[in-house]
Amino acid sequence: MLVLDISKCSGCRRCEARCSFHHTGKVGRSLARIKVVKMEETGVDFPVYCVQCEERHCADCPQAAITIGPRGEIVIDADLCTGCGTCEELCPIGAIELHKEIPYVCDLCQGDPRCVKACTMGALAFMPDEKEAVSLKARDGKLTPEDKGVRFALSSSQPMRETWVSARRACLDAERLRRLHASR
């Protein structure tokens, strides 16, 4: 399972580039199985990828083209997949995205995730023995994968943002006190 330390993500998108190149031989955001959501208004960069949710909504593929691999990764059978987009609609966080009618989703690079190797900040880690699945409720499938990813990133980063705001307030309060004492 991939594990994220959001406080270390710089938003460099090296993970996207390495992922897309490993899987397709080309570099492009649309070809990556991991997408960095950049939330300028909050100053947070958040990689969205398959979190191997407990429910496995995507496995409700009408063609039975999606199975779960030995490491918990999503496996897509290209022979069975018709590109119908059901998996993309069912994924509540936007981790599956169709590109030219082919579902792109993290497959953990057969146990050697390239995004982790590309992350020089140490924000991503691969923990093959980690089995703590996230529970995700199915949501409106009418949103685009990008919109779902932003929603997931905003909700997942909320605790960190609250910590930042509290720390900033404490710094401002300390500065006000320092100025108050200096003016006496």
Side-chain angles (χ1 to χ4, degrees):
M1 158 180 276
L2 290 180
V3 179
L4 170 66
D5 181 346
I6 188 175
S7 68
K8 294 181 180 178
C9 182
S10 69
C12 69
R13 293 190 165 160
R14 283 187 185 108
C15 55
E16 287 180 4
R18 182 73 64 92
C19 175
S20 64
F21 189 77
H22 171 70
H23 287 286
T24 68
K26 299 175 184 174
V27 174
R29 187 168 201 271
S30 64
L31 302 173
R33 276 86 169 147
I34 184 170
K35 303 260 182 7
V36 177
V37 174
K38 297 179 109 12
M39 298 177 287
E40 301 295 335
E41 66 280 358
T42 62
V44 175
D45 298 306
F46 193 98
V48 175
Y49 53 86
C50 178
V51 295
Q52 301 177 2
C53 68
E54 195 174 293
E55 294 80 7
R56 302 302 183 129
H57 300 286
C58 61
D60 288 340
C61 172
Q63 306 304 319
I66 295 180
T67 56
I68 309 304
R71 290 170 290 279
E73 76 277 16
I74 303 300
V75 178
I76 298 174
D77 185 330
D79 293 331
L80 295 176
C81 181
T82 62
C84 70
T86 300
C87 56
E88 180 182 79
E89 288 178 24
L90 292 174
C91 180
I93 66 169
I96 298 180
E97 195 167 352
L98 262 61
H99 180 74
K100 297 184 181 178
E101 297 186 12
I102 298 169
Y104 281 8
V105 63
C106 178
D107 62 3
L108 297 176
C109 298
Q110 292 73 46
D112 187 22
R114 300 320 194 272
C115 58
V116 172
K117 290 180 175 184
C119 184
T120 58
M121 302 302 292
L124 290 170
F126 178 55
M127 303 181 89
D129 297 328
E130 184 71 33
K131 300 295 181 201
E132 190 174 318
V134 176
S135 181
L136 297 170
K137 293 185 174 125
R139 301 244 178 121
D140 183 9
K142 303 293 184 221
L143 295 175
T144 67
E146 186 172 347
D147 290 340
K148 291 179 195 179
V150 168
R151 184 180 59 203
F152 177 68
L154 282 169
S155 65
S156 297
S157 64
Q158 185 64 33
M160 185 181 72
R161 290 193 323 267
E162 288 171 4
T163 301
W164 285 354
V165 168
S166 295
R168 178 71 179 139
R169 283 188 187 127
C171 286
L172 290 173
D173 290 343
E175 180 62 21
R176 282 187 201 113
L177 283 174
R178 187 190 65 74
R179 286 183 191 164
L180 179 67
H181 289 292
S183 67
R184 289 185 182 173

